[in-house]
């Protein structure tokens, strides 16, 4: 009798995804969500505290003066500007190389294809510190001085995979006959690229580029090995964290960093959302 | 008909170029593949190779110059008591972080894959992706605020009258620290927080791939929901967990920022690498130390592959 | 260009397409006439789709030569061929409207915008989709998408239209309706249609001629009725319609001659056991006795599997008419057929 009821319950649960989950499971799921998202709020809260000597909770008072203080600091602006420049350049390189790689991997079968996939994935599969110290040791061996370009070099390397993943996912979702159809209707390779491939890839390419920008803009581990004395915004923040002299300023900078990376990520999400829905509904 | 054919034949230079490549597909492949391969091959593989090379050189303690003569001294130095304890400490932390992440991630992923409606699923998806893509440093910093002696968690425990309990936990061996932000417990919480999305996503994807009909078949054959979960769902989710664990384990092994900002002052592998190359300028020793996470990950990946982790990526 | 040449739309001369050791198309030669509705019929992997792709230019032959209207297609990319394709999954451009899809080929050929628009509308009218121009392909049903794909190809007025199992994704009713429409459209535009399918019914009902493919080769090429009535190989007899294949000892016993042959189930007559072959047929009939093993009711007719007295089986098809003799399972029967209905294979 009991097992019959359980059976019925199981059927019900599998028939409709909206079926009730147990309380324990629901609570555990929501615990995970809150655990992931609540801490960010503390960053914002501490950006407004009047206490600049410790991290006392709750804050003794609230103020907006730290925003003014942050904006008045030249070192903050220098770091922000460097980060933006690095991220833009790394993004551009990653978009070109990532798209090339995705097109080749999608279109062709060739010997050693698996190794190429591994090579593209390796920079994010290995811990950042390995990538960082590798570049550092190569620069040391080759007597390469640290410049803007050494940072870009490192960032572009691990950004390629982000663009690659986005582009190849889109390629795999679109009908392979689209390119053939276009050529069949008289369009040569360049016309096909312009009228069919590019419009179909555009959002995935843009999303990949935005994520690459965000990834580069946020990166700190590899950057510490390739920047020398230069300070990107995350490095500037790290120094502030280790040797704080105006603690809430770090929070204000953190809020600004979040805002700058938040926008491209949300943008990328919306750009690829439709196709994800389509892919999901096909299950 | 014939005249129409004549006019449609592409005669522009672009058209001829297109035809040139169309009839020589391997040339096009080369053109597409060479730039990314050159970049990754020279810059990335080249660097990795130079790392390997450097690890066999040695720093002259007096001149501060690197002596370019192959030696395995650096690797022998890895087995000193200090260095060995650094390695064990890091690997132990990586293992614990991986287990805790899996425990927190599984119910969340399971709920997402099985029970959440499409709207709720989108919400959960954003909730998992946002922290993943938010600034790493900012998120670590958030926990420094929360875990600090004067911060939110200590405050809450004190408000609830449980301050003594928290102090007792902090006084336990291994965890020992004056506050959460200076104890291993704090380091672990932060690690779990930072890498959790990497565990959730592959597990969720693996669960998502379990066809509904399989669960129906199981219950149809008389399995109770609990049995179905243990005998059908869990085994199919294992590759997802294994895939996620690659990330949580590898990322913890290589991180040096979190233990530097939160936890006791005893160093992890990442910090050792950073300090050797930075303060002491001993790049060869730093290179040898960096081989440790690579070696551990090679073993780990071999095991994960057996568990089917690569199919779940 | 001589007039004799221009009446041939497509020529295959000893064409092969090998992928390593796999011979997808193996030394195939044939000609397709201008204005013909030509079907390539065969099971999957028989080489029919590869042949289509060779004509379209998506693949290059590893041996032999292909010409379209007398012009060699060696090294000619798809976009320089006066040939258009209707794809199996339609391959409509998802980012364009229906009208933009249809006008794509004209846009590439730089046809003036107004002219382009008019011709696209005409093409949509022809496939009964007037007024759908502003929709996106995702807003259409499968049958409608199929029509758009057809209009998109036809609007370019190609000299040859290739159709790659275009009705495969449609349900039965719609498929039958589209068969009639496709045939009508082909008559209207007068373009050579080359139609790839694995559905023998589809091929029989629409085509002027059918080439039956098997393992990269053509087994037989003939008009539908000839293909059905006079299959030249056992494969064709088995693939096109249902057939009783007779060979070895059974063939000798039933027909008096060795050598493989076959008989269609509907050509076999049934009489109650003990009856004789009707006298007016007796001199040119062959017969056998047996017992009905099973009866499969199919609506308009029924299918009987009869175990012969000397061993072996024959399948018989009878119309379910009240006036006919319809045996029951287990009944003993006499089977007979006209000698002329026996199909002997060459070689």
């Amino acid at each position: 009798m009991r097992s019959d009821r359980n059976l019925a319950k199981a059927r019900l649960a599998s028939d409709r995804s909206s079926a009730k989950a147990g309380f324990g499971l629901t609570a555990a799921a929501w615990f995970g969500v809150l655990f992931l998202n609540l801490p960010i709020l503390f960053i914002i809260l501490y950006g407004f505290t009047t206490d600049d000597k410790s991290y006392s909770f709750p804050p003794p008072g609230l103020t907006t003066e730290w925003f003014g203080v942050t904006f008045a600091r030249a070192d903050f602006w220098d770091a922000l500007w460097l980060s933006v420049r690095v991220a833009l350049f790394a993004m551009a390189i990653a978009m070109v190389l990532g798209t090339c790689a995705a097109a080749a991997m999608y279109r062709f079968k060739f010997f050693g294809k698996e190794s190429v996939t591994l090579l593209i994935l390796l920079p994010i599969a290995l811990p950042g510190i390995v990538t960082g110290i590798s570049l550092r040791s190569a620069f040391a061996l080759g007597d390469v001085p640290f410049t803007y370009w050494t940072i870009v070099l490192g960032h572009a390397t691990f950004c390629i995979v982000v663009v690659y993943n986005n582009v190849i996912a889109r390629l795999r979702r679109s009908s392979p006959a689209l390119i053939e159809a276009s050529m069949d209707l008289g369009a040569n390779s360049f016309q096909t690229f312009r009228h069919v491939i590019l419009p179909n890839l555009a959002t995935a390419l843009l999303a990949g580029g935005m994520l690459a920008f965000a990834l580069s803009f946020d990166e700190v581990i590899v950057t510490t090995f390739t920047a020398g004395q230069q300070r990107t915004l995350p490095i500037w923040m790290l120094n502030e964290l280790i040797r704080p002299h105006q603690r809430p300023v770090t929070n204000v900078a953190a809020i600004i960093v979040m805002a700058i990376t938040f926008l491209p990520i949300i943008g990328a999400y919306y750009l690829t959302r439709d196709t994800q829905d389509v892919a999901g509904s096909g299950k | 008909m014939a005249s129409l054919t004549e006019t449609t034949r592409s005669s522009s230079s672009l058209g001829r170029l297109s035809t040139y490549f169309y009839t020589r597909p391997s040339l096009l492949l080369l053109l597409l593949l060479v730039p990314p391969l050159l970049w990754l091959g020279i810059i990335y593989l080249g660097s990795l190779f130079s790392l390997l090379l450097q690890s066999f050189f040695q720093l002259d303690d007096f001149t501060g110059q690197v002596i370019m003569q192959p030696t395995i001294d650096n690797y022998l130095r890895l087995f000193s008591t200090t260095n060995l304890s650094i390695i064990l400490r890091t690997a132990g932390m990586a293992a614990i972080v991986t287990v805790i992440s899996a425990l927190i991630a599984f119910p969340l992923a399971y709920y997402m894959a099985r029970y959440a409606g499409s709207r709720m699923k989108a919400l959960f998806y954003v909730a998992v992706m946002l922290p993943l893509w938010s600034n790493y440093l900012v998120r670590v910093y958030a926990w420094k605020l929360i875990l600090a002696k004067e911060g939110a968690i200590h405050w809450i425990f004190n408000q609830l009258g449980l301050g003594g309990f928290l102090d007792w936990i902090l006084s336990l061996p291994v965890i020992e620290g004056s506050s959460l932000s200076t104890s291993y417990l704090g380091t672990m919480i932060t690690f779990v927080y930072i890498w959790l999305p990497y565990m959730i996503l592959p597990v969720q994807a693996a669960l998502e791939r379990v066809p509904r009909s399989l669960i129906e078949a199981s219950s149809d054959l008389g399995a109770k929901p609990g049995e179905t979960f243990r005998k059908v769902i869990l085994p199919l989710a294992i590759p997802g967990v294994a895939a996620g664990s690659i990330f949580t384990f590898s990322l913890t092994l290589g991180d040096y920022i979190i233990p530097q900002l939160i936890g006791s002052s005893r160093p992890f592998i990442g910090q050792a690498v950073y300090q050797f190359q930075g303060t002491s300028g001993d790049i060869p020793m730093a290179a040898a130390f960096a081989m440790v996470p690579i070696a551990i990950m090679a073993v780990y990946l071999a095991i994960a592959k057996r568990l089917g982790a690569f199919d779940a990526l | 260009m001589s007039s004799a040449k221009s009446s041939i739309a497509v020529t295959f001369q000893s064409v092969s397409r090998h992928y390593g050791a796999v011979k997808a198309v193996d030394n195939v030669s044939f000609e397709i006439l201008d204005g013909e509705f030509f079907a390539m019929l065969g099971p999957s992997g028989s080489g029919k789709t590869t042949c289509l792709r060779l004509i379209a230019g998506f693949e290059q032959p590893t041996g032999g030569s292909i010409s379209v209207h007398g012009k060699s297609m060696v090294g000619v990319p798809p976009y320089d061929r006066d040939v258009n394709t209707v794809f199996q999954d339609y391959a409509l451009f998802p980012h364009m409207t229906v009208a933009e899809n249809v006008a794509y080929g004209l846009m590439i050929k730089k046809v003036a915008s107004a002219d382009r628009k008019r011709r696209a509308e005409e093409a949509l009218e022809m496939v009964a989709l007037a007024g759908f121009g502003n929709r996106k392909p995702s807003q259409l049903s499968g049958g409608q998408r199929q029509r758009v794909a057809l209009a998109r190809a036809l609007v370019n007025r190609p000299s040859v239209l290739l159709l790659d199992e275009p009705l495969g994704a449609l349900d039965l009713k719609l498929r039958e309706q589209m068969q009639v429409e496709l045939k009508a459209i082909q008559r209207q535009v007068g373009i050579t249609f080359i139609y790839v399918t694995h559905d023998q019914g589809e091929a029989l009902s629409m085509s002027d001629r059918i080439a039956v493919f098997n393992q990269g080769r053509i087994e037989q090429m003939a008009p539908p009725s000839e293909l059905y009535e006079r299959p030249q190989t056992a494969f064709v007899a088995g693939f096109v319609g249902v057939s009783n294949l007779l060979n070895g000892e059974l063939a000798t016993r039933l027909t008096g001659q060795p050598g493989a042959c076959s008989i269609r189930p509907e050509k076999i007559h049934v009489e109650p056991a003990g009856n004789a072959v009707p006298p007016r047929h007796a001199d040119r009939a062959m017969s056998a006795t047996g017992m009905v093993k099973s009866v499969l009711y199919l609506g308009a007719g029924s299918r009987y599997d009869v175990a012969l007295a000397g061993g072996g089986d024959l399948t018989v098809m009878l119309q379910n008419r009240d006036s006919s003799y319809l045996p029951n399972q287990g009944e003993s029967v006499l089977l007979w057929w006209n000698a002329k209905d026996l199909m002997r294979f060459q070689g």
Side-chain angles (χ1 to χ4, degrees):
Chain A
M1 190 63 212
R2 232 190 89 82
S3 77
D4 278 349
R5 205 184 307 145
N6 278 338
L7 195 68
K9 233 191 268 174
R11 282 236 175 80
L12 206 69
S14 51
D15 282 344
R16 285 176 300 140
S17 63
S18 55
K20 278 265 180 287
F23 174 75
L25 180 63
T26 313
W30 281 102
F31 166 77
V33 168
L34 292 180
F35 175 66
L36 279 171
N37 289 280
L38 271 188
I40 300 290
L41 297 181
F42 283 86
I43 293 288
I44 299 169
L45 176 67
Y46 277 89
F48 295 92
T49 183
T50 49
D51 169 23
D52 67 340
K53 296 287 181 288
S54 71
Y55 301 122
S56 55
F57 185 89
L62 297 175
T63 170
T64 54
E65 67 170 306
W66 299 113
F67 282 82
V69 173
T70 310
F71 294 146
R73 278 176 62 171
D75 55 343
F76 167 76
W77 287 109
D78 290 345
L80 177 65
W81 178 228
L82 178 64
S83 274
V84 170
R85 270 162 48 219
V86 168
L88 282 178
F89 223 97
M91 174 185 87
I93 295 172
M95 280 172 83
V96 173
L97 297 180
T99 309
C100 280
M105 301 298 275
Y106 171 73
R107 178 98 160 63
F108 297 99
K109 286 195 179 91
F110 54 89
F111 179 74
K113 194 170 171 175
E114 301 240 309
S115 319
V116 176
T117 315
L118 185 68
L119 183 60
I120 294 169
L121 284 174
L122 210 55
I124 56 157
L126 286 178
I129 196 155
V130 173
T131 307
I133 188 71
S134 297
L135 289 166
R136 170 86 170 84
S137 86
F139 294 152
L141 273 184
D143 265 332
V144 180
F146 294 115
T147 60
Y148 163 74
W149 294 107
T150 53
I151 308 178
V152 171
L153 215 65
H155 284 202
T157 303
F158 59 72
C159 283
I160 291 174
V161 65
V162 182
V163 179
Y164 170 83
N165 274 345
N166 266 274
V167 171
I168 202 152
R170 177 67 55 86
L171 283 173
R172 283 185 183 142
R173 255 178 237 143
S174 40
S175 160
L178 285 185
I179 293 168
E180 287 181 353
S182 169
M183 293 198 158
D184 187 72
L185 293 165
N188 65 35
S189 310
F190 299 98
Q191 289 165 321
T192 300
F193 184 78
R194 190 181 140 211
H195 294 297
V196 175
I197 301 176
L198 205 56
N200 270 301
L201 281 190
T203 51
L205 202 58
L206 203 56
M210 284 172 158
L211 292 178
F213 180 92
L215 195 63
S216 161
F217 192 81
D218 276 356
E219 216 288 332
V220 59
I221 293 192
V222 174
T223 317
T224 48
F225 292 95
T226 59
Q229 298 304 308
Q230 306 165 87
R231 285 180 172 189
T232 62
L233 197 53
I235 297 217
W236 178 86
M237 277 178 53
L238 184 62
N239 287 328
E240 290 289 311
L241 285 180
I242 295 166
R243 283 176 290 279
H245 62 279
Q246 287 169 314
R247 282 183 168 165
V249 166
T250 320
N251 286 79
V252 172
I255 293 170
I256 293 167
V257 167
M258 279 198 293
I260 291 179
T261 44
F262 193 74
L263 291 178
I265 287 158
I266 290 292
Y269 175 72
Y270 274 97
L271 284 175
T272 51
R273 193 183 48 156
D274 288 346
T275 49
Q276 269 161 359
D277 287 350
V278 170
S281 67
K283 277 197 309 283
Chain B
M1 269 319 172
S3 67
L4 187 71
T5 317
E6 292 304 328
T7 54
T8 55
R9 186 139 303 193
S10 44
S11 48
S12 67
S13 52
L14 268 185
R16 276 200 299 275
L17 191 63
S18 161
T19 306
Y20 186 81
F21 280 114
Y22 189 84
T23 46
R24 293 164 186 79
S26 41
L27 199 66
L28 180 65
L29 169 66
L30 218 61
L31 212 65
L32 286 173
L33 206 53
V34 161
L37 277 192
L38 275 185
W39 182 283
L40 289 169
I42 293 178
I43 296 177
Y44 195 65
L45 286 186
S47 299
L48 283 177
F49 182 72
S50 87
L51 183 73
L52 188 66
L53 204 64
Q54 284 264 20
S55 70
F56 289 102
F57 293 161
Q58 207 170 21
L59 190 75
D60 188 314
D61 286 336
F62 298 105
T63 61
Q65 294 293 308
V66 174
I67 311 164
M68 296 200 184
Q69 271 166 353
T71 162
I72 56 162
D73 273 10
N74 293 325
Y75 287 98
L76 294 178
R77 276 167 71 194
L78 285 178
F79 292 96
S80 74
T81 328
T82 334
N83 290 343
L84 214 52
S85 73
I86 291 176
I87 293 168
L88 289 177
R89 183 180 302 130
T90 312
M93 178 62 83
I96 292 170
V97 166
T98 299
V99 171
I100 305 273
S101 297
L103 289 180
I104 298 180
F106 199 89
L108 177 54
Y110 188 66
Y111 185 84
M112 248 175 113
R114 282 272 156 259
Y115 295 102
S118 65
R119 202 169 274 271
M120 189 60 95
K121 192 179 277 183
L123 180 80
F124 268 67
Y125 192 70
V126 173
V128 174
M129 289 305 279
L130 263 191
L132 181 63
W133 284 101
S134 308
N135 186 290
Y136 159 83
L137 206 55
V138 170
R139 292 162 64 219
V140 177
Y141 180 44
W143 281 96
K144 194 168 175 70
L145 302 176
I146 297 167
L147 296 172
K149 184 95 190 157
E150 66 276 17
I153 290 189
H154 281 269
W155 180 79
I156 289 171
F157 270 86
N158 286 330
Q159 291 295 309
L160 295 174
L162 296 169
F165 176 65
L166 188 59
D167 287 339
W168 175 76
I169 291 178
L170 287 172
S171 70
L172 291 174
V174 183
I175 293 175
E176 52 202 302
S178 63
S179 73
L180 279 169
S181 71
T182 56
S183 77
Y184 280 137
L185 189 59
T187 320
M188 189 209 79
I189 293 174
T190 313
F191 269 129
V192 169
Y193 168 72
I194 299 287
W195 308 136
L196 188 59
Y198 291 96
M199 180 63 90
I200 295 173
L201 292 173
V203 174
Q204 190 251 345
L207 287 172
E208 201 79 62
R209 276 196 289 263
V210 178
R212 187 134 286 164
S213 57
L214 224 59
I215 294 162
E216 284 168 351
S218 170
S219 62
D220 193 56
L221 295 168
K224 293 175 191 153
E227 285 171 325
T228 302
F229 180 81
R230 276 196 312 276
K231 299 262 167 66
V232 178
I233 298 172
L234 208 53
L236 288 170
I238 289 292
V241 176
S245 77
I246 294 174
F247 292 108
T248 55
F249 198 84
S250 157
L251 290 167
T252 308
L253 275 187
D255 194 276
Y256 74 95
I257 305 254
I258 292 171
Q260 187 183 358
L261 291 176
I262 297 169
S264 71
S265 51
R266 281 173 292 244
F268 282 57
I269 292 177
Q271 283 162 288
V273 173
Y274 185 67
Q275 274 156 14
F276 275 119
Q277 67 87 36
T279 22
S280 45
D282 190 349
I283 293 181
M285 188 60 206
F289 233 120
M291 291 298 159
V292 176
I294 296 180
I296 296 177
M297 279 320 291
V299 174
Y300 197 91
L301 286 177
I303 298 171
K305 189 170 184 172
R306 286 198 144 185
L307 291 173
F310 292 106
D311 308 324
L313 276 177
Chain C
M1 198 181 290
S2 73
S3 60
K5 256 193 173 171
S6 66
S7 69
I8 292 168
V10 177
T11 313
F12 267 50
Q13 252 170 9
S14 321
V15 172
S16 293
R17 179 69 177 96
H18 297 176
Y19 302 95
V22 181
K23 297 173 175 176
V25 174
D26 188 16
N27 195 17
V28 164
S29 300
F30 61 86
E31 283 176 344
I32 298 171
L33 304 179
D34 201 10
E36 196 173 23
F37 197 122
F38 187 85
M40 297 187 186
L41 175 66
S44 59
S46 60
K48 57 192 192 308
T49 298
T50 308
C51 276
L52 197 79
R53 294 173 58 80
L54 286 167
I55 302 172
F58 305 137
E59 314 248 355
Q60 294 290 330
T62 43
S65 68
I66 298 170
S67 50
V68 176
H69 283 283
K71 278 195 176 137
S72 166
M73 287 291 124
V74 175
V76 178
Y79 46 84
D80 283 337
R81 296 186 184 206
D82 190 17
V83 163
N84 287 121
T85 308
V86 176
F87 290 83
Q88 189 170 13
D89 65 352
Y90 317 137
L92 299 181
F93 305 123
H95 59 291
M96 297 181 191
T97 63
V98 166
E100 284 166 343
N101 260 287
V102 174
Y104 185 82
L106 303 175
M107 187 260 296
I108 294 292
K109 278 186 200 129
K110 302 201 166 56
V111 171
S113 169
D115 198 17
R116 206 194 297 168
K117 221 174 150 191
R118 184 182 52 76
R119 280 172 65 180
E121 267 168 26
E122 282 171 10
L124 281 174
E125 255 168 57
M126 183 166 65
V127 296
L129 278 180
F132 282 71
N134 289 327
R135 301 212 189 167
K136 282 286 178 77
S138 57
Q139 295 168 302
L140 301 182
S141 71
Q144 289 169 332
R145 286 179 206 186
Q146 206 278 323
R147 289 158 191 266
V148 175
L150 187 63
R152 185 177 68 173
L154 282 175
V155 77
N156 304 294
R157 297 172 196 154
S159 67
V160 176
L161 184 74
L162 309 174
L163 301 105
D164 184 9
E165 308 225 8
L167 308 183
L170 305 181
D171 60 47
L172 185 65
K173 269 271 185 291
L174 202 52
R175 206 152 63 207
E176 283 170 351
Q177 181 195 338
M178 281 307 294
Q179 285 175 19
V180 176
E181 282 184 39
L182 266 180
K183 186 72 193 165
I185 287 171
Q186 196 257 344
R187 269 197 215 105
Q188 186 189 337
V189 296
I191 292 174
T192 311
F193 274 34
I194 303 177
Y195 191 100
V196 162
T197 181
H198 64 267
D199 180 338
Q200 41 116 359
E202 217 168 86
L204 290 175
S205 68
M206 285 192 285
S207 332
D208 298 321
R209 275 198 307 156
I210 300 171
V212 180
F213 279 75
N214 184 30
Q215 297 185 332
R217 289 170 164 276
I218 293 181
E219 293 268 338
Q220 188 176 357
M221 192 159 49
S225 59
E226 190 186 324
L227 204 66
Y228 188 81
E229 303 285 346
R230 293 280 145 226
Q232 283 170 6
T233 67
F235 177 81
V236 175
F239 193 77
V240 180
V242 183
S243 228
N244 289 297
L245 195 61
L246 311 173
N247 47 27
E249 186 264 335
L250 184 64
T252 318
R253 182 154 50 86
L254 290 182
T255 69
Q257 277 177 48
C261 57
S262 80
I263 176 85
R264 296 284 182 198
E266 73 273 17
K267 303 281 187 191
I268 300 177
H269 301 258
V270 184
E271 305 282 343
N275 280 19
V277 177
R280 60 195 170 95
H281 295 291
D283 55 335
R284 9 175 236 281
M286 299 169 173
S287 64
T289 55
M291 189 198 70
V292 176
K293 240 174 23 175
S294 66
V295 182
L296 211 61
Y297 180 75
L298 298 173
S302 292
R303 190 184 133 147
Y304 302 83
D305 281 330
V306 179
L308 300 179
D313 283 349
L314 280 182
T315 298
V316 180
M317 204 73 122
L318 295 178
Q319 295 289 312
N320 287 334
R321 288 207 189 97
D322 289 341
S323 56
S324 313
Y325 164 64
L326 298 170
N328 293 315
Q329 190 175 340
E331 240 175 86
S332 292
V333 291
L334 169 78
L335 306 177
W336 67 269
W337 58 91
N338 266 318
K340 73 167 173 59
D341 290 327
L342 198 69
M343 306 180 289
R344 292 213 171 269
F345 304 133
Q346 293 171 340

